[in-house]
């Protein structure tokens, strides 16, 4: 069985939910505390043992490529000024030469199409797919656990987590079959099920390990919901021939493609930082006190 060595990051979306912030800046470069969103996702992949990082970019996204490049002048200046901690931090996060590849999705035709654009760079091997909007906060890295499951089961792996059953119609939902290792067999998949028809409340949260056969399927995939080429439609076809397993992720996920998820992520990651948490907790408490309505006056 081939190891999962490569990860694909589709970063060609327009980010319309986050306008006007995303008019000139890619949403993946907005910062959560002091790192761009994309850095969290790349770090998660690296922690899972991924060796090659493939970015599917679009117009106005060149700054993502710059972010993962070495900035010689900056490194030199930091060294000269004795800012060794900052320099070490940059070097720790820096991909090694040849570890990154970039390809363009010339038109944003949908997530399925973006994944298909990576076919030549992935080649004939299983790959991890991480949606960079979604950043995770948990003790155990989501993708690392998925790779562990994959090493036991093979096939395709999808990370899922629980949602309020009343909200299931908003998501891609999977049916839960028998338990296996740290996961379970997926019995069905449905994109945005009609209310009351979802097979479970486990929604697909933006992390996948897929077999390369998905590329041939996506090549002939017709446009689906939103007039876009949908990855879920492709996976439904792949499911007819191949096994799918679910990894039940139990940490937090923040949808940084929406302003509310992004702000929540900033608060959560700041509170988790030893150098910031006390100050942040105090500031949040103060803000909340100011927000509370004045207590009702007793009458009589
Ligand atoms: P989203 O639908 O969340 O991203 O796609 P979007 O289209 O940028 O967002 P809004 O709705 O306009 O605010 C999920 C992921 O798929 C990528 C996005 O960049 C995001 O990471 N994507 C989506 C592509 O790379 N290409 C596409 O054509 C569509």
């Amino acid at each position: 069985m081939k190891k999962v060595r490569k990860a694909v990051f589709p970063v060609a979306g327009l980010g319309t939910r986050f306008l006007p912030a995303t008019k000139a800046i890619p949403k993946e470069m907005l910062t959560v505390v002091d790192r761009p969103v994309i850095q969290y996702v790349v770090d998660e992949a690296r922690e899972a043992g991924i060796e090659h990082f493939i970015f599917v970019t679009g117009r106005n996204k060149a700054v993502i490529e710059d972010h993962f490049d070495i900035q010689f002048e900056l490194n030199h200046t930091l060294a000269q000024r004795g800012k060794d901690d900052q320099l070490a931090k940059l070097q720790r996060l820096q991909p090694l030469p040849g570890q990154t590849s970039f390809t363009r999705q010339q038109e944003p035709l949908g997530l399925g199409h973006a994944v298909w654009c990576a076919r030549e760079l992935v080649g004939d091997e299983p790959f991890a797919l991480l949606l960079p909007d979604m950043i995770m906060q948990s003790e155990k890295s989501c993708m690392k656990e998925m790779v562990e499951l994959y090493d036991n089961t093979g096939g395709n792996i999808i990370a899922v987590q629980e949602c309020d059953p009343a909200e299931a119609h908003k998501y891609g939902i999977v049916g839960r079959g028998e338990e296996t290792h740290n996961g379970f067999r997926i019995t069905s998949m449905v994109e945005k099920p009609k209310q009351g028809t979802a097979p479970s409340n486990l929604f697909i949260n933006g992390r996948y390990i897929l077999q390369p056969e998905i590329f041939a399927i996506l090549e002939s995939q017709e446009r689906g919901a939103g007039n876009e080429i949908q990855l879920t439609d492709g996976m439904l076809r792949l499911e007819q021939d191949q096994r799918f397993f679910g990894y039940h992720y139990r940490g937090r996920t923040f949808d940084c493609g929406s302003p509310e998820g992004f702000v929540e992520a900033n608060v959560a990651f700041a509170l988790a930082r030893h150098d910031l948490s006390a100050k942040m907790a105090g500031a949040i408490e103060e803000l909340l006190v100011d927000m509370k309505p004045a207590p009702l006056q007793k009458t009589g």
Side-chain angles (χ1 to χ4, degrees), residues 10-18 27-28 56 61 105 107-111 114 131-133 228 257:
V11 290
L14 296 178
T16 55
R17 281 171 296 156
F18 225 130
K27 60 179 169 178
E28 299 79 10
V56 180
K61 303 277 181 164
Q105 182 192 25
E107 279 180 275
L109 297 179
L111 175 60
L131 303 197
D133 285 1
E228 291 191 339

Side-chain angles (χ1 to χ4, degrees), residues 203-219:
F203 75 95
I204 300 174
N205 74 358
R207 299 289 185 268
Y208 315 75
I209 292 173
L210 295 171
Q211 294 295 330
E213 285 75 21
I214 191 74
F215 294 123
I217 290 174
L218 290 173
E219 180 143 6

